[in-house]
Amino acid sequence: MSKNLFITGTATDVGKTYVSGLITKALLKEGYKAGYFKPLASGNLRTPSGELEVGDVKFVKEISGTKQDVTSMNVYVYERAFSPHLAAKFEGNPPELNKILAKFDELKNEYEYLNIEGCGGAICPLRYDEVKIMQVDLIKALKCPVLIVADAGLGGINAAVLTSKYLREEGIEQKGFVLNKFDESNQIHINNKFMIQELCALPVLFTITKQGQENCINSKKLAAVYE
């Protein structure tokens, strides 16, 4: 039975997939059997044969070096770069929690550690028709603690605090933050790290810099996050 972590972000394109890849790579490097799961993925390209290729899954597989079969990493895939609820409105195949949970049950029985990457920011509608599913509903159904990826730059405090506050109000356990694009010589980034920890009462567990990114995740410290 795996130890699980849900990776969300303060916004779209904040670096969740990159961080997910680095985390998975760090665990694999330490000798752990680690898996990756992206239940829903939007904004994907078609292969020459016409099939949709899940870009995030492909990226994580390449950066982490995992041998995990790409078909086990995803359940719902959409071509349009929309929130899943809107992509499904145009493309069909609206998500169902039971299908996602069935795949999750398979994976958690196969891996020691499982990283689940969400869509967009913490507040993301996954389905909004006669059935309404928000990303927070998925997190609760998975019963996973959350790791929040945030940008280290200007505006980072506001985005981090609002995300953390929302998750806290929803009763979701938070393990802390990863600050992406962190510059150790930038006073804004340094102070943002301090203020996020102060205002959210949560640790900034890792900072991902532009230089030496591959060494930013301490695997032993990382494993403790799942405890």
Side-chain angles (χ1 to χ4, degrees):
M1 191 69 68
S2 63
K3 298 176 181 178
N4 312 306
L5 192 64
F6 193 95
I7 300 166
T8 191
T10 56
T12 301
D13 294 330
V14 77
K16 298 187 308 298
T17 304
Y18 183 52
V19 171
S20 297
L22 290 181
I23 287 175
T24 304
K25 179 177 182 176
L27 289 168
L28 290 170
K29 187 177 180 181
E30 195 64 24
Y32 296 114
K33 191 174 184 182
Y36 169 79
F37 184 34
K38 175 90 174 185
L40 306 101
S42 302
N44 298 285
L45 300 176
R46 292 195 177 273
T47 65
S49 64
E51 296 181 357
L52 283 172
E53 183 176 64
V54 187
D56 289 348
V57 163
K58 181 181 178 182
F59 181 84
V60 169
K61 186 172 177 63
E62 289 175 353
I63 194 174
S64 68
T66 180
K67 303 301 182 184
Q68 184 180 351
D69 191 324
V70 294
T71 60
S72 73
M73 297 181 178
N74 172 259
V75 180
Y76 292 96
V77 55
Y78 304 102
E79 184 172 7
R80 289 170 173 81
F82 299 164
S83 177
H85 82 288
L86 188 58
K89 181 179 179 179
F90 289 95
E91 301 177 28
N93 195 28
E96 297 179 13
L97 274 180
N98 64 335
K99 289 187 178 180
I100 295 173
L101 294 176
K103 176 57 69 175
F104 173 67
D105 286 340
E106 289 179 19
L107 292 172
K108 71 181 184 182
N109 288 322
E110 185 175 350
Y111 294 95
E112 294 178 89
Y113 293 90
L114 186 60
N115 301 308
I116 304 102
E117 183 189 345
C119 302
I123 304 175
C124 180
L126 307 182
R127 179 170 179 173
Y128 216 79
D129 46 27
E130 68 277 4
V131 177
K132 294 176 174 57
I133 307 171
M134 298 295 290
Q135 184 147 259
V136 69
D137 298 317
L138 174 59
I139 297 171
K140 290 176 181 178
L142 295 172
K143 299 178 181 178
C144 290
V146 168
L147 180 67
I148 305 168
V149 179
D151 190 278
L154 196 63
I157 296 171
N158 183 68
V161 173
L162 289 176
T163 298
S164 179
K165 182 177 176 63
Y166 168 72
L167 292 172
R168 186 171 287 118
E169 288 177 349
E170 290 290 338
I172 292 171
E173 180 186 0
Q174 303 166 66
K175 290 295 188 175
F177 290 90
V178 174
L179 294 188
N180 194 24
K181 302 176 184 176
F182 189 84
D183 183 346
E184 296 173 347
S185 66
N186 188 309
Q187 291 302 313
I188 292 175
H189 294 195
I190 293 168
N191 188 256
N192 279 359
K193 179 182 177 182
F194 171 78
M195 291 303 300
I196 287 169
Q197 293 183 120
E198 284 285 304
L199 296 174
C200 297
L202 289 167
V204 171
L205 296 164
F206 306 104
T207 56
I208 309 298
T209 63
K210 292 181 180 179
Q211 298 292 328
Q213 303 98 318
E214 304 299 321
N215 300 315
C216 291
I217 305 292
N218 181 297
S219 54
K220 288 185 172 59
K221 182 179 178 182
L222 173 62
V225 175
Y226 295 77
E227 300 299 333

